[in-house]
Amino acid sequence: MVRINAPIAVGTAVTVLVAIAFAWWLSDIPLGVDSAVYRAGGSAVLHGEPLYEHLTALPGWVPELPFTYPPFAALLFVPLTALPAHVCWGLLAVAAAPSLYVALRPFTERAYVPLLLLAAFALQPVWQTIGLGQVNLLLMAVVVADVLLLRESRFRGIGIGLAAAVKLIPLIFIVHLLLVRRIADAARASAAFVGATALAFVLLPKDSLRYWTSAIFNSHFAEMKGWVGNQSWQGFIARTLPDGRVATMLIGCFGVLCAVVMMWLVRRLHRVGDDPAALLVTASCALLVSPISWTHHWVWAVPALGYLCTKVRQSVVAIAAVVFTGWTVAVVPGGGGAERTWNLGQAVVGNAYLIAALALVFVLYRRLSDVDSENAVPVVARGS
């Protein structure tokens, strides 16, 4: 039997993705909608055009999509303007395999990493991220490296700060650093975020003012909040209840509850030395409380499955993996408000990602209970 090691797995994935990128470029088949938007945002910066209005550099095959990231992200995307749109997609696609390797390393045994890495490409969050040309895998790898791999580096925290300046959701990991008492790392992360944002204000003052006063609210996607592709708590509420006080109250109450559970569980897991589990709790909370958690944002399913490989039965891991292959979104009515017609069975299937995150948090809580039991000192009866 030929044993696959991590370099072979990464090299195989990179080779296949390079071949796909090359073939798509030669055949001129559109691929990478979001990477084309990134490139168009960089072009807007380069040519002094408004960043949060119509993007003139969008290819004809890309829908009329807005640039929704902070201005600092657009500054980073400027180099993409020197490349054709297909090549930009290819670069982000090729980065997927190394990102998955970094994201898996601290969560599972070394022997599991190659197989999990290759199997991850069958999961919807991964293949959808690659197909769209998204940065989700890169940002996840940066966070994992900052929290779990760079423990001896004096630059710890800076990666999280820069990731948050590109896409705001990683800000929650600064809170994570505070919860695990890495105060200096949290300070560096905050300084990196503020510094990057300030740089964008200096170089792009109008766009920065526009983003932080109006574009940040992302009204373009507000009407899509109830779409099945949004696997957040707010998406669940939008699919289940009409807009109103009850819906707003449930969203707020869940946010508070999630924050309280996250703070308690993260600190407890950190105290027992299970920092990978603590990070998964924070990532799950981020996906649940974010107003928009598209299915391609759920790349944290990969390290979660890696962690579960060493903690639960393999059949449970296989079932969990199947949930994230994309079928749950495909088999239920979706779009145009069809989600409001779901019966109970369709609601369970259509909210499967959200339910899986809640189940993971419960499993991690049970893991904490098991560790406490293992560490308990038995009481010896008197006179024995």
Side-chain angles (χ1 to χ4, degrees):
M1 180 182 293
V2 178
R3 183 178 179 182
I4 302 175
N5 57 31
I8 291 176
V10 172
T12 300
V14 167
T15 301
V16 171
L17 289 168
V18 167
I20 293 173
F22 189 67
W24 257 244
W25 183 28
L26 290 180
S27 59
D28 201 30
I29 298 175
L31 193 61
V33 169
D34 286 342
S35 57
V37 173
Y38 300 159
R39 179 177 176 274
S43 178
V45 169
L46 194 63
H47 295 94
E49 300 171 352
L51 183 58
Y52 298 104
E53 296 181 10
H54 169 69
L55 297 171
T56 60
L58 280 178
W61 49 268
V62 176
E64 185 63 30
L65 293 173
F67 190 86
T68 59
Y69 292 5
F72 178 72
L75 292 174
L76 294 183
F77 294 145
V78 168
L80 296 181
T81 61
L83 303 170
H86 285 70
V87 175
C88 295
W89 173 83
L91 289 175
L92 288 172
V94 167
S99 297
L100 286 168
Y101 174 69
V102 171
L104 278 167
R105 273 186 58 193
F107 289 93
T108 192
E109 296 177 4
R110 185 182 299 270
Y112 289 129
V113 171
L115 182 59
L116 285 170
L117 191 152
L118 295 176
F121 288 94
L123 304 181
Q124 184 188 27
V126 175
W127 56 254
Q128 196 174 50
T129 285
I130 294 172
L132 292 172
Q134 265 280 346
V135 293
N136 303 314
L137 289 168
L138 278 170
L139 296 182
M140 177 176 65
V142 168
V143 170
V144 170
D146 225 358
V147 176
L148 299 176
L149 296 178
L150 302 179
R151 292 183 175 274
E152 304 302 323
S153 173
R154 60 182 177 178
F155 301 109
R156 293 174 304 179
I158 293 177
I160 289 176
L162 295 178
V166 171
K167 201 169 186 176
L168 296 180
I169 290 299
L171 281 172
I172 195 172
F173 296 106
I174 299 180
V175 179
H176 178 91
L177 292 175
L178 292 172
L179 291 173
V180 298
R181 300 187 182 280
R182 291 169 57 174
I183 308 302
D185 297 349
R188 281 189 288 267
S190 300
F193 172 75
V194 171
T197 302
L199 176 64
F201 259 104
V202 171
L203 298 178
L204 303 171
K206 292 183 179 179
D207 289 326
S208 293
L209 186 63
R210 172 77 177 276
Y211 178 79
W212 292 105
T213 57
S214 59
I216 188 175
F217 300 109
N218 202 2
S219 58
H220 177 80
F221 295 118
E223 62 185 26
M224 298 176 61
K225 192 171 290 185
W227 179 48
V228 63
N230 178 23
Q231 290 288 305
S232 71
W233 177 256
Q234 289 197 33
F236 168 76
I237 293 297
R239 289 188 284 273
T240 308
L241 298 174
D243 292 335
R245 291 183 179 180
V246 174
T248 302
M249 181 183 68
L250 287 175
I251 290 171
C253 289
F254 181 82
V256 172
L257 177 63
C258 195
V260 170
V261 171
M262 182 196 87
M263 290 188 289
W264 178 80
L265 195 50
V266 165
R267 293 190 66 175
R268 289 292 306 278
L269 288 166
H270 172 66
R271 286 176 185 173
V272 300
D274 201 345
D275 284 322
L279 185 58
L280 289 177
V281 171
T282 302
S284 298
C285 184
L287 290 165
L288 291 170
V289 302
S290 175
I292 300 291
S293 291
W294 302 130
T295 48
H296 59 79
H297 292 166
W298 285 76
V299 289
W300 285 94
V302 177
L305 291 170
Y307 179 88
L308 292 175
C309 274
T310 61
K311 309 299 180 185
V312 301
R313 293 191 300 271
Q314 300 303 304
S315 59
V316 175
V317 178
I319 292 171
V322 169
V323 169
F324 287 97
T325 55
W327 69 273
T328 60
V329 177
V331 300
V332 295
E339 292 83 358
R340 290 188 175 276
T341 67
W342 286 353
N343 56 38
L344 179 59
Q346 290 170 330
V348 171
V349 172
N351 293 294
Y353 284 23
L354 187 149
I355 295 170
L358 295 173
L360 174 64
V361 172
F362 178 75
V363 169
L364 296 176
Y365 166 73
R366 294 293 301 170
R367 169 65 179 161
L368 180 63
S369 300
D370 293 340
V371 172
D372 287 341
S373 299
E374 292 170 3
N375 293 337
V377 178
V379 177
V380 179
R382 292 183 182 181
S384 60

